[in-house]
């Protein structure tokens, strides 16, 4: 992670570069508060991944990018998905329902699962990723439970840009990008991508095939009243590997995701006030193609389990600028619906009305912030999510931060109404393993999960080009949802229930240093401990770490070697072992790039590699040409 | 295969070697502008980029650059052009190539202008400057009552002395008064600000570390807020952090202008006969919150033409 804190500690200029004075010494993020704050002044932990870091990572998807580059994330393969655990707040239902994903500010999490499959956004069109850890419900409402990930796509392309890449084992990607701006400030842009990630050769059936289109237009000058229209379509098809609860791996199952996203936003600003009004929504379908296993663990026919969903919302917020403060207030009305005659018993819909308020003050060295949001949902009732924090500038190089807040995760339609959804677990009979059918039921009385989260941190930015960020965090999770055997005499029936209350205490450290001449060293470490009031049979590892050594230049050879601990886990087994990745990039010219990626460089036995015989190390070769 | 890639990256000769003062940010923007403009003009060049470390190894980097036998060197930033200058002076008998610089704040002060004589005969480039009169004009467009403008500068810094002299000339022509308070790095910033108290209607920030580094800037911002006078600056970062308005540089354009000079040298032009280029366009930024705090109304037309309007 690069902290661009250049501006401190320079003395005489005659022998020093003065042009750095023109540069912004600090990265600015908007994700945490919807207002611009520098990373340095953020009251919660923020990580920013820039375009060069994205390229150096070699990651093909946003999922991989976060797993490889940010120690606070841990990847886990599951029945139909690969999800992310964040600082110990792992998924309860094997999807990314505890993280809120935004695409250029457009919320992506659906209502069916409360999920967004981050493996379906290719990194090729991503300019930067901002991650704000901690409870975000005070600003964003449901699903901003453990954090918010804002994916910002490349917007400026003065000429059409078409690139294509090829990887070993049948992988490819092709992307067309084009944008233009008229003299009166109107601009439009489009991106179309078509790519296949073959997955690792360590496991079968975790390939991903995605087609996506994104269109956007902005009418009016960007700094005055203007309209923004946005449309995105993501069509993804992904294989599955195994399941959290030890269900027999089904290397034939697929997860199909087809969703249209849209947003129309009008913004205006005056000297004292700015205003945003937006209409947004999504429609889509998901198929969870599952095979019926035969007694000998052969594969039966694969049948679709189809779901449809829709969402529409209207949000408006205003911001007033006062002499040493700014106030933000707004409201959001959202309607959601899910349909499946077989698996949900028909059509279900709900509405949510929310109001939110946030105040930020600039009191010299202190910058406090206070906010809250009230949600009233037609199905699960009301939720109040307050949040407060501050930063205090100790010196030109040191800043303290602290925050506390509450957030909630809304139960999804799947968790509320699921029916007729069998899965199979392996059961030992004698010396053999046979599939045992389990039926999963929804629970219409589910309550939202809640978290009370607190964090204190300190950041030091040395004028010599290195920085250190230390943070202690605490999360108290209540009403955690999981599947539970509800009838003692019917072990084949499992139902979603609010079963788990537990706390997570931990600390994280992030270090970054420019070693000169294009070299950068970064290291991240997170440790967490669980205090379970009801023992959870599975949880992510208590430690995770990322170590990266990178070299970057505009032309010629660049590269990064990275180590992750632990490697991506599978199913219910605790993940272990270091994964190592090497990514070499050769920029032949501005339009041509070659890259070589080696995963599991040292062929370390890991959970994923153990599951699949035939080797662990995988090599990808990519060629990209911009036309 | 990896060995081939390594050889490809490091041992090949280059048509052009770019020497950057630092990695990342505005330097990369300028390089991107330069390389894309050269490609647009149809030049297929082998380009290698090196970055100074800011220590005693920098002369070795210049020597390394020259071992690539480039047709010319491109220096991005003060440090890079100074490293090349010093190397050329210390190694008079070694072969030299023309140098095109970009993003250099004070090329005249560094003796890079053609009038400097033979030591500058291989240098031409683009200066990084915002003419004070443009800043004064931008200020008067939103606050026509301003008569006296104050600034802080380091009197021991020749670049700052030149900037102040230029600002005094421009102010006189526009019938404004300039009050320049000296401040050396080891002196009290608060004392210097107090010498300006109640004497000025506006404060102008110049690219001098004594006033434009983050901590001094915070104190100057607090001073101007308390005095209720506008603060004008030379980059968007200051406007974002509270200055009323700023006139900034397009760094990509710095690279593009550099590419035009590179092309002329490659076509046989003599660097000594190519005048130093100034930026053709400036970016303008406003801070609406500061305008409100100062009871100023920025005309709608100006806001529409601004490159960015900050609200905090």
């Amino acid at each position: 992670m690069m902290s661009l804190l250049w501006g401190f500690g320079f003395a005489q200029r005659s022998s020093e570069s003065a042009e750095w004075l023109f540069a912004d010494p600090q990265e600015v993020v908007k994700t945490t508060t919807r207002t611009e704050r520098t990373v340095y002044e953020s009251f919660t932990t923020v990580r920013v991944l820039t375009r060069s870091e994205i390229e150096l990572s070699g990651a093909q998807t946003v999922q991989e990018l976060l797993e490889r580059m940010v120690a606070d994330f841990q990847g886990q393969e599951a029945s139909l998905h690969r999800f992310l655990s964040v600082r110990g707040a792992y998924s309860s239902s094997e999807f990314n329902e505890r993280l809120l994903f935004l695409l250029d500010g457009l919320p992506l999490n659906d209502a069916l699962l409360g999920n967004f499959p981050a493996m379906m956004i290719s990194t090729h069109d991503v300019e930067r990723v901002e991650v704000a850890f901690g409870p975000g419900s005070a600003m964003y409402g449901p699903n901003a439970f453990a954090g918010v990930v804002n994916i910002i796509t490349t917007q400026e392309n003065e000429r059409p840009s078409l690139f294509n890449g090829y990887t070993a084992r049948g992988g490819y990607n092709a992307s067309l990008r084009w944008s233009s701006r008229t003299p009166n400030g109107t601009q439009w842009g489009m991106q179309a991508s078509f790519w296949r990630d073959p997955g690792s050769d360590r496991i079968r059936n975790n390939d991903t095939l995605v087609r996506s289109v994104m269109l956007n237009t902005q009418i009016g000058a960007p700094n005055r009243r203007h309209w923004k229209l946005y449309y995105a379509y993501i069509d993804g098809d992904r294989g599955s590997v195994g399941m959290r609860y030890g269900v027999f791996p089904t290397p034939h199952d697929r997860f199909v995701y087809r969703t249209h996203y849209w947003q129309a936003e009008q913004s205006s600003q005056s000297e004292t006030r700015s205003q945003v009004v937006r209409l947004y929504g999504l429609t889509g379908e998901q198929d969870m193609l599952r095979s019926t296993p035969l007694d000998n663990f052969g594969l039966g026919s694969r049948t679709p389990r189809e779901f449809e969903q829709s969402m529409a919302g209207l949000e408006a917020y205003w911001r007033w600028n006062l002499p040493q403060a700014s106030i933000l207030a707004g409201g959001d009305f959202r309607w959601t619906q899910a349909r499946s005659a077989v698996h949900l018993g028909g059509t279900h819909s709900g509405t949510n009305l929310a109001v939110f308020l946030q105040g930020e003050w600039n009191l010299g060295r202190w910058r406090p912030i206070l906010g809250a949001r009230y949600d009233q949902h037609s199905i699960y009732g009301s939720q109040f999510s307050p949040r407060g924090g501050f930063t205090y500038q100790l010196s030109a190089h040191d800043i303290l931060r602290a925050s506390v807040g509450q957030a909630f995760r809304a139960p999804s339609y799947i968790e509320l109404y699921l029916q007729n959804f069998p899965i199979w677990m392996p059961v030992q009979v004698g010396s053999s393993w046979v599939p045992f059918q389990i039926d999963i039921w929804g629970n219409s009385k589910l309550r939202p999960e809640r978290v009370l989260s607190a964090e204190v941190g300190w950041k030091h930015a040395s004028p010599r080009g290195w920085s250190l960020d230390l943070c202690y965090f605490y999360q108290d999770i209540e009403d955690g949802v999981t599947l539970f055997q509800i009838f003692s005499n019917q072990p084949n029936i499992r139902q979603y229930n609010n079963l788990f209350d537990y706390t997570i205490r931990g600390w994280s450290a992030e270090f970054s240093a420019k070693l000169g001449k294009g070299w950068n060293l970064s290291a991240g470490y997170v440790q967490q401990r669980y205090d379970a009031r009801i023992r959870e049979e599975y949880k992510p590892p208590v430690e995770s770490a990322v170590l990266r050594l990178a070299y970057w230049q505009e032309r010629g050879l660049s590269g990064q070697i990275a180590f992750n601990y632990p490697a991506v886990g599978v199913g219910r087994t605790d993940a272990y072992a270091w994964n190592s990745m090497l990514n070499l990039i050769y920029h032949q010219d501005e339009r041509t790039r070659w890259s070589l990626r080696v995963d599991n460089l040292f062929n370390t036995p890991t959970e994923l590699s153990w599951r699949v015989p035939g080797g662990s190390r995988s090599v990808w070769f990519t060629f990209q040409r911009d036309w | 295969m990896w060995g081939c890639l390594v050889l490809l990256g490091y041992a090949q000769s280059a048509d052009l070697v770019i020497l950057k003062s630092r990695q990342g940010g505005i330097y990369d923007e300028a390089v991107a502008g330069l390389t894309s403009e050269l490609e647009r003009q149809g030049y297929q060049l082998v380009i290698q980029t090196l970055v100074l470390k800011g220590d005693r190894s920098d002369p070795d980097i210049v020597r390394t650059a020259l071992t690539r036998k480039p047709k010319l060197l491109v220096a991005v930033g003060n440090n890079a052009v100074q490293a090349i200058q010093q190397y050329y002076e210390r190694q008079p008998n070694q072969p030299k190539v023309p140098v095109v610089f970009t993003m250099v704040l004070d090329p005249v002060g560094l003796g890079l202008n053609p009038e400097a004589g033979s030591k500058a005969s291989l240098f031409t480039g683009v200066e990084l400057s915002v003419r004070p009169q443009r800043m004064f004009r931008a200020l008067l467009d939103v606050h026509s009552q301003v008569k006296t403008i104050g600034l802080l500068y380091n009197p021991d810094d020749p670049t700052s002395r030149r900037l102040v002299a230029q600002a005094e000339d421009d102010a006189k022509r526009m019938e404004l008064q300039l009050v320049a308070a000296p401040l050396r790095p080891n002196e009290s910033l608060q004392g210097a600000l107090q010498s300006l108290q109640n004497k000025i209607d506006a404060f102008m920030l110049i690219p001098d570390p004594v006033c434009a580094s983050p901590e001094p800037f915070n104190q100057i911002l607090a001073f101007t807020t308390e005095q209720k006078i506008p603060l004008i600056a030379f980059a968007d970062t200051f406007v974002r952090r509270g200055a009323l308005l700023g006139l900034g540089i397009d760094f990509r354009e710095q690279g593009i202008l550099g590419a035009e000079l590179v092309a002329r040298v490659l076509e046989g032009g003599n660097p000594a006969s190519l005048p130093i280029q100034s930026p053709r366009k400036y970016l303008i930024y406003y801070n609406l919150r500061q305008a409100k705090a100062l009871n100023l109304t920025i005309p709608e037309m100006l806001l529409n033409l601004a490159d960015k309007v900050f609200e905090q």
Side-chain angles (χ1 to χ4, degrees):
Chain A
M1 224 60 68
M2 291 182 161
S3 297
L4 298 178
L5 291 166
W6 295 342
F8 300 106
F10 274 82
Q12 284 293 341
R13 201 249 314 279
S14 56
S15 62
E16 310 233 358
S17 293
E19 61 277 359
W20 62 264
L21 290 167
F22 289 76
D24 194 333
Q26 301 172 37
E27 292 232 56
V28 173
V29 294
K30 245 179 130 162
T31 303
T32 321
T33 59
R34 297 204 219 220
T35 56
E36 288 188 341
R37 287 177 81 108
T38 64
V39 172
Y40 196 60
E41 291 171 336
S42 178
F43 64 99
T44 62
T45 305
V46 170
R47 307 280 188 233
V48 177
L49 293 164
T50 61
R51 183 63 215 165
S52 59
E53 288 172 304
I54 293 170
E55 284 199 34
L56 283 167
S57 72
Q60 299 296 305
T61 70
V62 169
Q63 172 91 18
E64 266 190 340
L65 178 70
L66 297 175
E67 287 168 4
R68 288 172 175 229
M69 300 284 279
V70 186
D72 309 74
F73 287 107
Q74 170 63 28
Q76 195 78 17
E77 285 282 355
S79 61
L80 287 168
H81 205 272
R82 182 147 136 184
F83 63 87
L84 291 163
S85 295
V86 185
R87 287 184 168 180
Y90 54 92
S91 169
S92 62
S93 55
E94 304 189 350
F95 298 97
N96 287 327
E97 73 282 9
R98 286 183 177 170
L99 272 175
L100 176 67
F101 285 87
L102 306 173
L103 182 66
D104 296 320
L106 169 68
L108 296 174
N109 293 57
D110 63 21
L112 190 67
L113 291 160
N115 171 62
F116 177 71
M119 85 242 337
M120 293 197 181
I121 295 269
S122 162
T123 56
H124 299 108
D125 296 318
V126 175
E127 183 64 28
R128 95 198 229 120
V129 176
E130 296 177 1
V131 184
F133 291 101
S137 293
M139 181 56 61
Y140 295 103
N143 296 110
F145 187 87
V148 181
V149 179
N150 191 4
I151 303 161
I152 297 159
T153 59
T154 306
Q155 300 284 323
E156 300 276 339
N157 269 92
E158 291 163 358
R159 61 182 183 199
S161 167
L162 171 67
F163 73 84
N164 53 279
Y166 304 94
T167 70
R169 296 181 290 108
Y172 53 82
N173 58 65
S175 177
L176 172 66
R177 266 202 312 262
W178 196 4
S179 67
S180 186
R181 187 194 289 251
T182 62
N184 68 357
T186 298
Q187 72 179 44
W188 63 270
M190 64 89 72
Q191 297 164 357
S193 290
F194 171 69
W195 54 275
R196 179 175 183 269
D197 178 339
S200 169
D201 67 359
R202 291 169 284 157
I203 50 177
R204 293 189 290 268
N205 197 41
N206 78 330
D207 61 301
T208 309
L209 180 65
V210 177
R211 294 156 283 264
S212 68
V213 171
M214 296 173 196
L215 305 171
N216 65 83
T217 186
Q218 182 171 291
I219 302 164
N223 55 348
R224 309 300 295 138
R225 182 189 298 268
H226 64 274
W227 281 89
K228 271 199 236 182
L229 305 173
Y230 197 100
Y231 168 79
Y233 173 64
I234 299 175
D235 181 334
D237 181 333
R238 212 249 171 184
S240 77
V241 177
M243 192 168 169
R244 217 185 114 185
Y245 293 106
V247 169
F248 177 63
T250 48
H252 196 51
D253 291 0
R254 306 292 295 185
F255 174 66
V256 178
Y257 185 90
R258 297 192 186 96
T259 306
H260 303 263
Y261 298 90
W262 54 269
Q263 176 170 276
E265 177 183 295
Q266 192 250 13
S267 325
S268 60
Q269 66 185 46
S270 65
E271 288 179 13
T272 56
R273 195 185 76 171
S274 61
Q275 167 185 302
V276 172
V277 179
R278 60 190 196 102
L279 280 169
Y280 63 94
L282 63 86
T283 57
E285 57 190 37
Q286 293 178 30
D287 292 344
M288 300 178 197
L289 299 162
R290 300 204 76 108
S291 309
T292 306
L294 304 175
D295 281 346
N296 59 358
F297 287 136
L299 295 171
S301 59
R302 191 165 73 183
T303 56
R305 301 184 184 191
E306 296 163 328
F307 299 84
E308 294 174 0
Q309 61 168 331
S310 305
M311 182 197 300
L314 171 65
E315 183 183 49
Y317 61 90
W318 295 262
R319 190 160 76 241
W320 290 271
N321 300 313
L322 306 176
Q324 281 179 302
S326 72
I327 306 294
L328 187 148
D332 177 40
F333 176 80
R334 189 181 299 185
W335 167 85
T336 55
Q337 185 179 80
R339 297 179 291 280
S340 174
V342 175
H343 303 297
L344 295 178
T347 301
H348 300 275
S349 59
T351 57
N352 187 69
L353 179 64
V355 291
F356 50 91
L357 182 66
Q358 175 181 278
E360 290 179 84
W361 291 268
N362 192 349
L363 306 174
R365 289 176 183 262
W366 292 92
R367 288 197 67 179
I369 182 167
L370 202 57
R373 176 170 163 138
Y374 178 80
D375 288 81
Q376 177 67 44
H377 197 277
S378 58
I379 297 175
Y380 56 77
S382 63
Q383 292 294 315
F384 180 63
S385 308
R387 178 173 73 174
F390 68 88
T391 57
Y392 177 72
Q393 182 138 11
L394 278 172
S395 70
H397 311 295
D398 297 89
I399 195 160
L400 292 177
R401 65 176 185 272
S403 63
V404 63
Q406 284 190 343
F408 72 99
R409 178 182 82 75
S412 66
Y413 283 110
I414 290 277
E415 290 170 324
L416 289 167
Y417 302 115
L418 191 67
Q419 60 183 358
N420 293 323
F421 198 91
I423 59 173
W424 291 270
M425 290 186 69
V427 171
Q428 194 163 19
V429 176
S431 59
S432 307
W433 290 88
V434 297
F436 174 75
Q437 180 174 321
I438 291 177
D439 289 306
I440 299 184
W441 291 6
N443 181 354
S444 61
K445 296 188 175 53
L446 274 183
R447 300 181 297 279
E449 296 180 338
R450 294 196 52 78
V451 65
L452 170 68
S453 181
E455 170 182 326
V456 291
W458 165 70
K459 188 171 183 109
H460 174 80
S462 165
R464 296 183 196 279
W466 61 269
S467 68
L468 177 64
D469 187 304
L470 295 176
C471 159
Y472 176 82
F473 58 88
Y474 169 89
Q475 299 178 86
D476 185 3
I477 298 175
E478 290 184 355
D479 287 334
V481 173
T482 192
L483 285 171
F484 185 70
Q485 179 184 328
I486 53 172
F487 304 116
S488 56
N489 59 346
Q490 294 187 54
N492 60 317
I493 297 177
R494 306 288 170 94
Q495 188 185 46
Y496 288 105
N497 272 283
N498 296 98
L499 275 183
F500 294 114
D501 292 350
Y502 58 99
T503 56
I504 306 171
R505 292 181 180 82
W507 66 277
S508 73
E510 181 83 15
F511 171 80
S512 175
K514 293 187 201 300
L515 305 178
K517 209 179 172 181
W519 289 94
N520 195 79
L521 176 69
S522 302
Y525 177 76
V526 177
Q527 187 186 75
Q528 58 249 350
R529 292 285 182 265
Y530 300 85
D531 173 19
R533 277 162 261 178
I534 295 177
R535 185 181 172 277
E536 169 66 273
E537 59 181 19
Y538 168 78
K539 49 188 171 295
V542 297
E543 289 181 309
S544 56
V546 170
L547 179 65
R548 297 183 286 122
L549 178 64
Y551 176 74
W552 175 263
Q553 57 176 355
E554 298 287 330
R555 289 281 186 274
L557 193 65
S558 300
Q560 172 174 281
I561 185 164
F563 299 89
N564 288 117
Y565 176 86
V568 172
V570 177
R572 65 184 299 204
T573 315
D574 287 343
Y576 57 91
W578 284 87
N579 193 6
S580 48
M581 292 149 290
L582 174 69
N583 190 49
L584 295 174
I585 309 167
Y586 180 67
H587 289 98
Q588 182 176 322
D589 54 46
E590 199 177 63
R591 289 186 286 187
T592 310
R593 194 172 84 213
W594 310 71
S595 65
L596 178 74
R597 170 178 141 174
V598 183
D599 288 350
N600 202 352
L601 180 65
F602 300 108
N603 211 19
T604 309
T606 66
E607 182 63 24
L608 285 178
S609 65
W610 173 75
R611 291 251 177 200
V612 174
S616 305
R617 184 186 296 121
S618 61
V619 178
W620 291 21
F621 176 74
T622 305
F623 165 76
Q624 289 187 345
R625 170 80 179 168
D626 207 359
W627 297 99
Chain B
M1 180 174 156
W2 295 359
C4 289
L5 286 173
V6 169
L7 284 175
L8 211 55
Y10 285 96
Q12 202 179 29
S13 61
D15 296 315
L16 199 68
V17 175
I18 299 174
L19 191 61
K20 293 195 293 192
S21 296
R22 280 176 196 260
Q23 188 66 287
I26 57 175
Y27 303 94
D28 287 354
E29 278 185 60
V31 169
L34 181 118
T35 53
S36 63
E37 178 62 18
L38 286 172
E39 282 198 30
R40 195 191 69 78
Q41 291 194 22
Y43 287 93
Q44 301 293 325
L45 299 171
V46 175
I47 300 176
Q48 187 172 18
T49 306
L50 302 171
V51 183
L52 295 185
K53 288 173 76 172
D55 60 22
R56 284 175 296 182
S57 69
D58 285 348
D60 294 332
I61 295 175
V62 177
R63 187 184 311 120
T64 301
L66 290 167
T67 60
R68 302 280 184 264
K69 298 188 180 3
K71 297 188 175 86
L72 60 85
L73 297 176
V74 173
V76 185
N78 258 40
N79 276 7
V81 76
Q82 281 188 290
I84 297 171
Q85 249 186 329
Q86 287 160 14
Y87 181 85
Y88 280 5
E89 282 168 16
R90 279 202 301 268
Q91 308 284 340
N93 298 324
Q94 293 296 320
K96 299 177 182 53
V97 297
V99 179
V100 172
F101 58 84
T102 179
M103 281 178 53
V104 172
L105 187 60
D106 184 18
V108 173
L110 293 179
L112 296 172
N113 52 315
E115 292 77 26
S118 61
K119 78 169 184 175
S121 61
L122 287 172
F123 291 80
T124 187
V126 188
E127 66 174 346
L128 181 73
S129 67
V130 178
R131 188 77 199 208
Q133 72 177 23
R134 286 181 179 256
M135 293 178 69
F136 297 154
R137 172 51 50 204
L139 174 62
L140 291 172
D141 283 343
V142 301
H143 193 356
S144 55
Q145 279 80 48
V146 166
K147 293 288 179 222
T148 310
I149 300 172
L151 61 85
L152 295 179
Y153 77 106
N154 181 356
D156 296 332
D157 186 329
T159 299
S160 290
R161 288 202 301 269
R162 240 183 305 280
L163 279 171
V164 169
Q166 198 175 57
E168 282 171 343
D169 277 344
D170 289 347
K172 196 186 268 187
R173 245 180 290 158
M174 297 175 73
E175 296 179 359
L176 297 169
Q177 191 183 356
L178 192 77
V179 180
L183 172 68
R184 291 179 174 81
N186 55 350
E187 292 175 353
S188 162
L189 176 66
Q190 286 300 323
L193 289 173
Q194 273 172 17
S195 73
L196 295 173
Q197 198 162 347
N198 300 323
K199 292 179 187 165
I200 57 176
D201 307 319
F203 188 101
M204 181 169 97
L205 199 72
I206 65 169
D208 185 331
V210 296
C211 54
S213 298
E215 185 54 33
F217 171 74
N218 288 341
Q219 294 188 48
I220 291 167
L221 183 62
F223 168 80
T224 55
T225 303
E226 188 192 309
Q227 296 283 296
K228 290 196 182 326
I229 57 176
L231 170 60
I232 61 176
F234 55 88
D236 61 331
T237 173
F238 302 104
V239 182
R240 180 180 60 74
R241 285 144 67 195
L244 169 68
L245 70 89
L247 223 57
I249 298 288
D250 184 340
F251 298 105
R252 194 177 170 87
E253 198 221 16
Q254 287 273 308
I256 292 171
L257 293 174
E260 291 175 7
L261 290 169
V262 166
R264 291 170 72 177
V265 172
L266 289 175
E267 296 299 325
N270 180 1
S273 66
L274 299 174
I276 294 173
Q277 302 288 305
S278 296
R280 289 182 201 144
K281 78 175 195 186
Y282 295 93
L283 309 175
I284 186 151
Y285 312 98
Y286 297 101
N287 186 311
L288 287 184
R289 192 165 122 161
Q290 278 304 315
K292 159 110 175 98
L294 296 168
N295 291 322
L296 293 173
T297 302
I298 301 177
E300 191 84 3
M301 185 192 70
L302 294 182
L303 292 175
N304 281 334
L305 292 173
D307 290 276
K308 191 155 176 129
V309 176
F310 296 94
E311 297 173 62
Q312 292 176 264

